[in-house]
Amino acid sequence: MPTAALPITDRFQEVLDRLSTKSIEDYYNPYQEFVWPGRLDENRMWMSPELLTPYGTPLFDELGEETLRRLSKWESINFYSLNVHGIRELLIEVVHRIHMPGFEVPSDFFHHFIGEENEHMWFFAEFCRRYGNKIYPSTAMRADSDWEPEVENFLVFARILFFEELVDHYNTRMAQDETLCDTIRQVNRIHHQDESRHIAFGRELVSLLYTRMRETVGPERLAEVEAYLKRYVVFSVNSLYNPHVYRDAGIPDPLALRNALLGDERRREIERRSIRKPLAFFLKTGIFGDDVLPAV
């Protein structure tokens, strides 16, 4: 995978040094950090109500409190399952690039990143297996083009950054929600603590990779990259609407519910709030020329 050297800036080097030091100072052993209860209270919410997929639509009230509690359990399991799959994919991509040409400078931080993400994958999987007895399957969005190396490298880390920012929106809210049990709040709090470093690193790296990519491809290719990344944004958000979750929550017609929610424009404003930060970053850096996303 031949690539040009990253246009390293003093700022990027300072960010790498600071975040590496912080990773060492904040290190914890997840296998000792968590004390897993034998079970979680099924009469409490497992996810903040405003994060549930029917929120903001008439269906939220129509489902009733008991169904919403069941739904919160399985949407919680789905959210952590998506983390397991997303982390596995990003680990494969980062390991493939560590200490490779073009990534010499960030490789030291990649070691911290890989170690922390591996531990995140473990505790999300542990939660799913203990309290849901399953990890929901997931499908990956494949590229519809053979990308040049510089484009592929950019898209890998742009996808990672978006995924982390979307997840962090949920982590931040649930870590602060005192109506949730301590275990759920702890999982989300600890993940947010680490992800804040990864997001800071990701923004700097994606900016540099975008600069490098623009020097090697033309406007038409940049437009294709933007279109692909926008489809990835929609794909990622839509993965939260899982008909298997609705079935497990006891909802009679899971596909009908998913279609109704995906077609309800009231959900678009709520979704926008969950991706506000990464969209603003993509616009600020010029990666996106506008914030118009493709329809479902």
Side-chain angles (χ1 to χ4, degrees), residues 11 154 158 161 165 202-214 222 226 229 277-290:
R11 172 183 170 82
F154 164 75
L161 176 63
E165 296 241 31
R203 288 188 171 201
E204 297 295 330
L205 180 60
V206 167
S207 295
L208 295 180
L209 289 171
Y210 183 63
T211 298
R212 190 169 72 178
M213 179 181 67
R214 283 187 308 176
L222 290 176
E226 177 180 354
L229 195 52
K277 290 181 179 180
L279 278 189
F281 170 77
F282 289 150
L283 285 166
K284 181 180 178 181
T285 54
I287 295 168
F288 285 178
D290 56 52

Side-chain angles (χ1 to χ4, degrees), residues 35-292:
V35 178
W36 302 102
R39 60 182 297 276
L40 300 185
D41 189 349
E42 306 252 348
N43 293 316
R44 296 176 67 175
M45 298 291 282
W46 288 31
M47 180 178 273
S48 302
E50 64 270 26
L51 299 179
L52 298 178
T53 54
Y55 184 79
T57 75
L59 290 167
F60 184 83
D61 293 324
E62 292 172 13
L63 289 173
E65 290 186 12
E66 183 178 346
T67 300
L68 287 174
R69 281 196 299 270
R70 290 198 305 270
L71 181 62
S72 75
K73 171 183 176 177
W74 294 111
E75 290 216 332
S76 177
I77 298 297
N78 183 54
F79 174 65
Y80 303 132
S81 296
L82 290 171
N83 276 270
V84 172
H85 298 302
I87 291 169
R88 183 180 59 248
E89 294 304 315
L90 71 84
L91 282 175
I92 291 170
E93 298 291 0
V94 175
V95 168
H96 188 56
R97 288 163 174 79
I98 191 168
H99 295 299
M100 293 296 287
F103 291 98
E104 294 87 349
V105 172
S107 284
D108 280 346
F109 184 74
F110 281 166
H111 284 284
H112 296 292
F113 182 92
I114 290 167
E116 290 166 358
E117 290 294 353
N118 179 57
E119 291 169 349
H120 298 164
M121 182 166 55
W122 173 78
F123 65 66
F124 283 131
E126 189 71 6
F127 186 99
C128 292
R129 292 197 306 264
R130 281 178 178 269
Y131 306 123
N133 200 32
K134 71 170 70 180
I135 296 174
Y136 284 111
S138 178
T139 57
M141 177 178 161
R142 301 302 179 186
D144 52 6
S145 176
D146 291 327
W147 303 115
E148 298 85 350
E150 306 295 4
V151 174
E152 184 178 351
N153 286 325
F154 164 75
L155 284 174
V156 161
F157 288 97
R159 290 195 305 263
I160 289 172
L161 176 63
F162 176 79
F163 172 75
E164 290 179 324
E165 296 241 31
L166 173 62
V167 166
D168 195 57
H169 172 80
Y170 282 73
N171 292 154
T172 303
R173 178 65 190 94
M174 287 192 278
Q176 297 171 347
D177 188 347
E178 296 183 357
T179 67
L180 303 179
C181 74
D182 291 341
T183 299
I184 291 174
R185 294 183 67 197
Q186 182 187 29
V187 165
N188 284 276
R189 183 178 66 253
I190 288 177
H191 193 239
H192 167 69
Q193 174 182 301
D194 291 342
E195 288 303 283
S196 62
R197 292 192 301 275
H198 296 182
I199 289 169
F201 165 72
R203 288 188 171 201
E204 297 295 330
L205 180 60
V206 167
S207 295
L208 295 180
L209 289 171
Y210 183 63
T211 298
R212 190 169 72 178
M213 179 181 67
R214 283 187 308 176
E215 296 172 351
T216 63
V217 300
E220 184 176 338
R221 197 56 154 170
L222 290 176
E224 292 175 355
V225 168
E226 177 180 354
Y228 170 82
L229 195 52
K230 284 182 173 180
R231 291 197 301 276
Y232 177 78
V233 167
V234 175
F235 174 85
S236 299
V237 171
N238 288 355
S239 65
L240 296 165
Y241 299 86
N242 188 336
H244 300 289
V245 165
Y246 304 145
R247 181 199 61 201
D248 289 341
I251 294 168
D253 193 339
L255 283 174
L257 177 59
R258 183 178 195 270
N259 291 335
L261 293 175
L262 288 176
D264 195 321
E265 287 302 314
R266 284 163 289 205
R267 286 295 305 167
R268 304 296 84 80
E269 180 182 349
I270 297 168
E271 292 165 358
R272 284 278 176 158
R273 288 201 293 269
S274 70
I275 60 175
R276 175 181 58 84
K277 290 181 179 180
L279 278 189
F281 170 77
F282 289 150
L283 285 166
K284 181 180 178 181
T285 54
I287 295 168
F288 285 178
D290 56 52
D291 64 353
V292 179

